[in-house]
Amino acid sequence: MKTISPFLKLLLIPLIFLSLEKPSEACLSCGCGSSSSSSDLGANGGASSIFAKDKLFLLQLGSSYRDTNGSFNELGTWNKKPTDSNLSSLQNTFSLMYFPIKNLSLGLQIPVLANFMNKASFGSFGSIAPTDLSFTYGISLGDISTQVAYKVFEANDFALIPWIKVDLPTGDSSGKPENISGSGVFKLNGGLLGIKTYNKFEFIFNLGYQQPLGIPVNANSNFYPGNALMAQFNSNYQFNEKIKAGLGINGFVGKLLYSNSSIPTSKIKLTASGQYDFTMYNGVGISTGYDPQFLGANTTTDINLNLVFYQFF
């Protein structure tokens, strides 16, 4: 009977939770997925690297809730969001991957984002701005992304997978604050994913870089990433044939570029994830991410919860 490649399930958790991360966040890490500054690790992981020997497609339906709780200023000081305010988002993502030949994967992600705001809005350079507006919300298509990954090496339970991802400026980048869902510029992302298994443990390292192809008009867009170097480390433990769980850390160091200014930006995120496989070809995943209130600059922080269903066919 045909089976999935040994690294298929191994890479499934990173793919699942990376795919959920903010399209804005050029994320590499497990557990990312919705709106905000484009440099948290996650969506790039959606550049994915799982390869099925006997299936041609992988469908993922994901939902991610993100509660923005504060922001770092240029001095690295963390400031809580305004009292009694709300700045959150709910993103639903449709993701389809195609495996045309062995070791090669092609992917497409289409996010739809709903922003919820009350007495606060995203300010310039990764800040939060207090407002007098009562509760408001907006729903918009996010930045669609395409990706390709190719496994170039596999031996002794170790694999290396280079990946490339392109973010398309399909989201709203200049409308009302509650409708903002994209950066307004094309973004190129690329990196190298490494996987190692040892007994019941899985270790994942992902290093990538993001390059915007332009400068946005709106300096208040929380989706503009700037140039960013991104890194992720995640470890998972396989409890049995159906259940695995993991912990991870990811972060970025970058530079926000606008028409007349350039400022540094950075952040780290702690993640936890779990996965339950109904069968070899479908299952569900859950993850959460938390941004510590230290080691950051010129970006917002948040707590997020991500859910996903996956099906190979």
Side-chain angles (χ1 to χ4, degrees), residues 12-47 60-67 89-95 109 111 113 145 163 165 206 210 223 230-234 246-252 267-274 285-292 300 302-308:
L12 191 52
I13 278 188
L15 169 67
I16 287 176
F17 299 112
L18 299 181
S19 299
L20 285 178
E21 202 34 271
K22 320 176 179 183
S24 62
E25 286 204 357
C27 254
L28 298 177
S29 89
C30 302
C32 310
S34 115
S35 69
S36 186
S37 171
S38 194
S39 304
D40 189 8
L41 296 191
N44 281 354
Q60 292 181 95
L61 302 175
S63 185
S64 175
Y65 177 77
R66 183 175 303 274
D67 179 35
S89 61
L90 177 65
Q91 177 176 301
N92 293 316
T93 303
F94 170 86
S95 176
Q109 292 180 341
L113 184 68
S145 64
W163 54 265
K165 176 171 170 283
N206 204 349
Q210 179 172 253
F223 289 85
M230 304 162 291
Q232 165 209 352
F233 176 77
N234 196 80
L247 297 174
I249 182 171
N250 62 74
F252 71 89
K267 185 171 69 171
I268 62 173
K269 181 182 291 290
L270 306 177
T271 64
S273 60
I286 183 172
S287 72
T288 185
Y290 169 74
D291 300 332
T300 57
D302 57 69
I303 299 173
N304 61 62
L305 178 66
N306 313 290
L307 301 171
V308 67

Side-chain angles (χ1 to χ4, degrees), residues 105-273:
S105 67
L106 307 174
L108 173 69
Q109 292 180 341
I110 303 176
V112 176
L113 184 68
N115 291 316
F116 306 95
M117 298 180 177
N118 182 34
K119 297 183 180 180
S121 181
F122 293 115
S124 59
F125 309 122
S127 64
I128 296 176
T131 69
D132 295 327
L133 298 177
S134 58
F135 176 79
T136 184
Y137 71 94
I139 302 176
S140 301
L141 174 70
D143 284 349
I144 294 174
S145 64
T146 61
Q147 59 236 358
V148 58
Y150 188 81
K151 183 168 61 179
V152 297
F153 177 82
E154 181 178 350
N156 300 319
D157 297 324
F158 178 74
L160 286 175
I161 306 99
W163 54 265
I164 296 174
K165 176 171 170 283
V166 179
D167 296 314
L168 310 177
T170 53
D172 189 339
S173 62
S174 59
K176 295 180 180 180
E178 62 270 23
N179 291 327
I180 298 298
S181 60
S183 65
V185 298
F186 286 90
K187 292 168 288 186
L188 292 180
N189 311 268
L192 182 67
L193 180 66
I195 312 292
K196 172 65 179 178
T197 60
Y198 179 74
N199 293 331
K200 293 186 176 182
F201 289 94
E202 306 166 346
F203 303 98
I204 302 166
F205 180 77
N206 204 349
L207 183 66
Y209 185 78
Q210 179 172 253
Q211 175 65 56
L213 301 181
I215 297 176
V217 176
N218 183 10
N220 294 339
S221 172
N222 203 39
F223 289 85
Y224 175 59
N227 304 69
L229 177 66
M230 304 162 291
Q232 165 209 352
F233 176 77
N234 196 80
S235 60
N236 302 311
Y237 183 78
Q238 188 81 46
F239 289 93
N240 54 46
E241 290 184 355
K242 293 184 175 294
I243 299 175
K244 69 167 61 174
L247 297 174
I249 182 171
N250 62 74
F252 71 89
V253 176
K255 182 168 59 175
L256 294 172
L257 302 174
Y258 293 97
S259 58
N260 58 357
S261 61
S262 171
I263 61 174
T265 180
S266 61
K267 185 171 69 171
I268 62 173
K269 181 182 291 290
L270 306 177
T271 64
S273 60

